[in-house]
Amino acid sequence: MKNTICLIALLVFGACTDLDLVPLDAPTSAPFTSKQQFREGVNEGYRMFHWIRDESQNGMTDDFQRRDALDEIKAGTMNAESARVAARWQDKYKGISRMLAIKDQLENQVGILGEKEANVLLGETHFFLASFWSYLISHYGDVPFYEDVLSVDEAFEVSRTDKEVILQTIYDYYDHATEHLPVSYSGQQYVTKGAALAMKARIALYMGDYPKAAESAKACMDLAVYELHPSYSELFLSGTKTSNELIFFIPRSDALNVRIGDADLLPRIHGGWGAKQPTWELLASYECVDGLPIDKSPLFDPQNPFKNRDPRCLATIVPFGSLEEGDGKEASDGSIYMGIEYNPHPDALEVLNANTGEMIYNHDTRANKTFASFNGLLWKKGLDENWKAPTTAENNHIVIRYADVLLMYAEAKMELNEIDNSVLAAINQVRDRAYAQSSFTNPAVTTTNQEELRYIIRNERRAELAFEGLRYMDLIRWRLAHEVLSGHTYGMLDVADLKAKVVDEGLWFWALTPEIDENGFANFNPLIEAGYARTLNVIDFPQRQYLFPIPSEEILLAPGLAPNNEGY
């Protein structure tokens, strides 16, 4: 494969005539001659591959797993030859070179665009440049940096620039975007002033620049155009096309040929495979409705792990068992999900089809289907009856939303030890919405102790943002990945042992309450040692993986990129 930066240097950006049909590397030397060409050229920044989430098929974090398969991140085997490492590098540098070419055309066009039109498109271009560079420095560290399209000779001679130097230019790009982009659009939607401020806050937080993160998040909040969607669960469904909570998102639709559908996420009884699961660690991380972790709350029942929990738990993971007092359900019962009962219990060989009132064969218990969920859990967040296996779901791809901005503001101010009522208000605003449509009231956060708030905010991010592709970078920037991504993944015993050791002893679903440590991580080793559960595989996160390596093929063709990041 050719060196990415060198390949890009051989290509001159070409105008597109159809956003969905233009080849990624279509070459042309012709200048843009119409407003449409400028608009469609900038639209290249919205392509989905630029905004892909860092969640592979097998799960990169302690929130996500695919049966007993391992992602290279959790296996500790990522190296300079890894496909992900090369693909993300290539995607971002292709995007950067395209935006630099467009920027040059915008700055040198005469008479095609008015000053305001040109400045808005330049604002979008700077937004994309900032965002692509942000990914590179947060994942790879020091990388080759340039602000003009490189010649072929220059491409072979690139070296790495200190990420802190690049960060300052990223801030400048976002500031330019903030200055020239509108607060909102009346018709077709594009990136806005708020998106630039929110994304600037994100990279500042990732880089530990808490003053800048707090400042940018507060500026986004002060625009007074964003608010939390009334329903947490509804926000992520395919029918929610617009919301005042969405700051930057990529729409999906069959008409645009942009889809998310994934049969691995759907229950088997709905035509999916049920192969991708939330982890037991995620289920254990949600607090109880008294605001306490499960090992401290008298409300927690390990046989009914969804009962008396933060409402976002039930909105994110398909629940089963008894969910609250007086519902008349037992631990062995299921719950209706997308019109059919979901129940992984090994004795639940049939389940209720609520649409017909009939009992039907249960494809989602391992007693019937060996490859049903290995840990009994399935994702619920974002899925509803509009999903049809395998590829027709139309949910928005949310890049950043207002709840994230509120939590970034709270975290940055907490880390600065500038804890005031605005910090508590930001946290509780998110929590209030979570509890709004439940029978419980938010156990409001009132502490101003920095250590206590650090725990609360980190756990709040996990609860609020689960399954949105942000957990990985949170663990990286908190320097906790080597702790939480080392050990094992967990699941249920094989059916015969599960019935004999857990079900027949009245201990379904969890036989014991896992302990939660000072970082909010659950310890399932006592269940393993007592024979109530099994490990699915060994996971390991070596220290070197806090940064991706530079792809080896890049170093071979541009020796100035050596040495690689430490440990590779």
Side-chain angles (χ1 to χ4, degrees), residues 3-21:
N3 172 277
T4 303
I5 298 174
C6 296
L7 171 63
I8 292 167
L10 290 167
L11 303 170
V12 180
F13 180 81
C16 58
T17 57
D18 188 309
L19 184 61
D20 290 323
L21 299 179

Side-chain angles (χ1 to χ4, degrees), residues 202-515:
R202 176 176 285 177
I203 187 58
L205 200 64
Y206 282 5
M207 301 302 288
D209 186 349
Y210 299 120
K212 190 73 70 176
E215 175 188 45
S216 299
K218 184 64 164 57
C220 182
M221 294 157 62
D222 288 345
L223 292 174
V225 296
Y226 303 112
E227 60 185 5
L228 298 179
H229 196 79
S231 167
Y232 177 79
S233 58
E234 180 186 271
L235 175 64
F236 308 101
L237 299 180
S238 59
T240 304
K241 299 301 184 185
T242 60
S243 169
N244 288 337
E245 183 166 349
L246 302 180
I247 298 176
F248 179 48
F249 66 96
I250 309 295
R252 290 188 177 98
S253 75
D254 279 339
L256 294 174
N257 198 30
V258 180
R259 306 181 182 97
I260 190 182
D262 187 344
D264 275 348
L265 295 172
L266 283 171
R268 299 175 72 90
I269 208 164
H270 288 279
W273 300 109
K276 293 181 178 178
Q277 294 101 37
T279 60
W280 280 5
E281 290 92 335
L282 177 62
L283 175 57
S285 71
Y286 289 93
E287 66 182 26
C288 291
V289 294
D290 55 6
L292 296 174
I294 60 173
D295 62 337
K296 300 292 193 299
S297 174
L299 299 178
F300 182 69
D301 179 358
Q303 277 77 66
N304 282 293
F306 292 95
K307 187 175 184 178
N308 296 322
R309 305 294 297 281
D310 181 327
R312 288 168 295 193
C313 178
L314 282 68
T316 302
I317 305 172
V318 182
F320 48 82
S322 175
L323 305 183
E324 57 183 77
E325 294 298 329
D327 63 10
K329 290 188 175 183
E330 304 293 333
S332 58
D333 292 332
S335 66
I336 301 300
Y337 174 56
M338 293 198 290
I340 301 176
E341 180 185 358
Y342 176 74
N343 193 347
H345 195 286
D347 290 339
L349 303 183
E350 292 185 325
V351 289
L352 175 66
N353 183 335
N355 299 309
T356 65
E358 298 175 337
M359 298 298 290
I360 60 175
Y361 186 81
N362 184 6
H363 293 267
D364 290 302
T365 175
R366 299 190 71 232
N368 283 340
K369 295 292 183 179
T370 302
F371 287 95
S373 174
F374 280 21
N375 66 6
L377 306 182
L378 287 179
W379 290 106
K380 180 180 179 182
K381 188 174 181 177
L383 280 75
D384 63 8
E385 290 85 348
N386 291 324
W387 276 64
K388 294 179 176 64
T391 57
T392 58
E394 299 184 352
N395 306 59
N396 290 325
H397 178 85
I398 301 172
V399 177
I400 197 161
R401 58 186 178 91
Y402 190 51
D404 193 2
V405 171
L406 292 171
L407 294 178
M408 288 193 295
Y409 171 76
E411 182 178 352
K413 294 285 283 185
M414 176 275 296
E415 292 294 351
L416 293 168
N417 209 14
E418 297 175 358
I419 301 167
D420 55 21
N421 287 335
S422 71
V423 173
L424 300 181
I427 300 169
N428 283 315
Q429 189 175 343
V430 175
R431 292 168 61 89
D432 284 342
R433 189 270 299 275
Y435 280 82
Q437 297 184 339
S438 74
S439 58
F440 304 104
T441 301
N442 169 29
V445 175
T446 59
T447 182
T448 57
N449 177 276
Q450 186 183 40
E451 284 297 317
E452 292 175 357
L453 267 183
R454 181 176 290 114
Y455 175 93
I456 289 170
I457 291 170
R458 289 180 176 184
N459 212 52
E460 188 66 20
R461 284 188 64 83
R462 191 176 192 182
E464 176 68 22
L465 303 170
F467 202 34
E468 295 183 47
L470 299 174
R471 176 69 173 171
Y472 175 76
M473 280 307 300
D474 281 350
L475 292 176
I476 293 296
R477 65 191 180 84
W478 294 333
R479 303 296 292 188
L480 292 173
H482 67 284
E483 295 185 22
V484 68
L485 300 181
S486 295
H488 298 90
T489 57
Y490 304 97
M492 298 184 295
L493 296 169
D494 290 332
V495 173
D497 287 338
L498 182 65
K499 294 184 71 170
K501 298 180 181 180
V502 177
V503 173
D504 292 348
E505 298 298 321
L507 298 175
W508 170 267
F509 175 68
W510 283 337
L512 302 171
T513 298
E515 292 186 0

Side-chain angles (χ1 to χ4, degrees), residues 13 23 40 67 83 128 136 174 184 213 232 261 289 313 462 510 530 557 560:
F13 180 81
E40 291 179 339
R67 294 180 181 145
F128 293 132
L136 286 168
Y174 278 135
S184 62
Y232 177 79
V289 294
C313 178
R462 191 176 192 182
W510 283 337
L557 289 173

Side-chain angles (χ1 to χ4, degrees), residues 11-16 26-42 97-114 117-119 121-122 125-126 129 147-149:
L11 303 170
V12 180
F13 180 81
C16 58
T28 179
S29 57
F32 291 170
T33 58
S34 70
K35 292 182 180 181
Q36 181 181 359
Q37 285 181 309
F38 278 107
R39 175 69 268 169
E40 291 179 339
V42 175
S97 292
R98 280 185 171 274
M99 290 302 115
L100 287 176
I102 292 174
K103 179 174 178 285
D104 180 68
Q105 292 224 36
L106 283 166
E107 290 173 340
N108 290 287
Q109 67 88 32
V110 177
I112 301 172
L113 300 170
E117 290 176 301
N119 280 335
L121 291 176
L122 272 170
T125 302
H126 282 92
L129 285 168
E147 294 191 82
D148 296 292
V149 177

Side-chain angles (χ1 to χ4, degrees), residues 150-166:
L150 299 179
S151 69
V152 175
D153 289 340
E154 289 171 331
F156 283 106
E157 296 174 358
V158 293
S159 58
R160 299 167 71 177
T161 300
D162 188 320
K163 63 181 180 294
E164 295 295 338
V165 173
I166 302 174

